[in-house]
């Protein structure tokens, strides 16, 4: 079975400081991993994905994520947080076993960047 | 521009009424999905469809129904059997080819029972 855990419901960081939003996953085979961002009353927007290759993945708006197979983690990072980064962030993993292309989502982490 | 459109943005339902949420995509995606979002609970899968005229229940299908008569359209009906329908509903689509890995989401419909 596939699953994703986001251990922090809320992350607060000062503007200009580095930010990290944590994600761990559980899959039977090789994971396809994703990060999405949601602004209030909007749908989810794609940030980045890891399929294969380099463990450091770069995405939109200056975000990046590091795939760590030994720790089964895919933490989202940004070197310098902006107030506009405040949003709800979802990690997701693709189900490789059902063949339905279903994504399993974490429960989300609310990021607040303090001016 | 290709995309996925949900309508209406806000919807109010009286007790005992059925309401239908629209989801249309022009991305030529084979698969479409409906999720329900409640505060603190993330996204929960209601129904999904990989092909026209076929769909499968997700984790919380009770009180909901769907149809997939056209590739572009995947409407969701919230029936009177759904006892707590107030939530934010998200539709998504994806391709099923070897290079299609993620979802494209609509902007959501907020349903409120009055």
């Amino acid at each position: 079975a596939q699953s994703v855990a986001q251990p922090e419901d809320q992350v607060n960081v000062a503007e200009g400081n580095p930010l990290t939003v944590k994600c761990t996953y559980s899959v039977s085979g090789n994971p396809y991993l994703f990060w999405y961002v949601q602004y209030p009353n909007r749908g989810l927007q794609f940030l980045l994905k890891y399929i294969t290759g380099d463990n450091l993945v770069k995405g939109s708006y200056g975000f990046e994520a590091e795939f760590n197979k030994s720790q089964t983690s895919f933490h989202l990072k940004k070197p310098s947080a902006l107030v506009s980064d405040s949003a709800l962030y979802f990690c997701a993993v693709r189900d490789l076993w059902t063949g339905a292309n279903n994504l399993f989502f974490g429960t989300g982490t609310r990021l607040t960047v303090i001016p | 521009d290709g995309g996925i459109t949900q309508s209406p943005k806000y919807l109010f339902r009286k007790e005992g009424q059925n309401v239908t949420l629209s989801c249309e995509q022009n991305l030529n995606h084979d698969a479409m999905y409906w999720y329900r979002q409640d505060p603190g609970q993330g996204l929960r899968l209601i129904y999904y469809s990989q092909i026209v005229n076929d769909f499968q229940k997700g984790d919380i299908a009770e009180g909901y129904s769907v149809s997939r008569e056209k590739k572009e359209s995947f409407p969701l009906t919230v029936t009177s059997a759904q006892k707590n329908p107030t939530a934010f509903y998200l539709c998504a689509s994806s391709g099923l080819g070897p290079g299609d890995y993620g979802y494209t989401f609509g902007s959501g419909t907020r349903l409120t029972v009055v």
Side-chain angles (χ1 to χ4, degrees):
Chain A
Q2 329 288 316
S3 66
V4 165
Q6 294 182 243
E8 301 159 316
D9 292 335
Q10 174 81 43
V11 170
N12 297 326
V13 62
E15 186 177 22
N17 282 3
L19 70 88
T20 299
V21 182
K22 295 180 180 177
C23 172
T24 60
Y25 65 89
S26 174
V27 297
S28 301
N30 293 323
Y32 293 171
L33 294 156
F34 303 80
W35 276 102
Y36 287 83
V37 61
Q38 184 182 34
Y39 298 100
N41 292 311
R42 302 298 301 274
L44 275 66
Q45 297 177 28
F46 171 79
L47 275 180
L48 51 80
K49 66 185 178 189
Y50 171 82
I51 303 300
T52 186
D54 194 348
N55 289 344
L56 185 63
V57 178
K58 294 188 183 297
S60 306
Y61 313 120
F63 284 93
E64 58 189 28
E66 186 170 10
F67 172 65
N68 188 316
K69 188 172 184 178
S70 63
Q71 297 184 8
T72 62
S73 67
F74 189 57
H75 301 331
L76 181 70
K77 300 182 179 183
K78 188 173 182 180
S80 179
L82 300 173
V83 172
S84 57
D85 293 330
S86 298
L88 187 58
Y89 290 81
F90 289 95
C91 183
V93 64
R94 179 180 168 186
D95 177 1
L96 302 179
W97 287 95
T98 66
N101 198 44
N102 288 3
L103 287 183
F104 289 85
F105 288 87
T107 52
T109 298
R110 185 164 300 282
L111 173 68
T112 299
V113 180
I114 303 165
Chain B
D1 286 340
I4 182 165
T5 302
Q6 289 187 242
S7 62
K9 189 171 179 66
Y10 299 96
L11 186 57
F12 297 91
R13 191 193 95 167
K14 294 181 180 179
E15 295 283 351
Q17 271 187 339
N18 293 354
V19 291
T20 297
L21 285 60
S22 171
C23 179
E24 304 274 338
Q25 53 100 359
N26 61 3
L27 300 165
N28 200 33
H29 283 169
D30 290 302
M32 297 186 74
Y33 310 83
W34 274 106
Y35 286 90
R36 171 178 171 145
Q37 185 177 19
D38 297 281
Q41 296 195 43
L43 302 178
R44 293 185 288 170
L45 183 63
I46 304 172
Y47 270 98
Y48 67 96
S49 167
Q50 291 182 270
I51 194 170
V52 174
N53 292 322
D54 187 52
F55 45 83
Q56 282 75 43
K57 294 182 179 180
D59 300 320
I60 56 165
E62 185 175 353
Y64 300 96
S65 66
V66 293
S67 63
R68 187 88 186 275
E69 297 178 1
K70 299 186 299 181
K71 186 176 183 178
E72 301 79 16
S73 179
F74 192 42
L76 173 74
T77 296
V78 184
T79 75
S80 57
Q82 172 50 240
K83 297 307 178 188
N84 185 23
T86 295
F88 190 54
Y89 291 87
L90 287 164
C91 181
S93 68
S94 71
L96 294 176
D100 295 318
Y101 299 113
Y103 290 1
T104 300
F105 281 86
S107 57
T109 293
R110 185 164 297 281
L111 174 63
T112 304
V113 174
V114 296

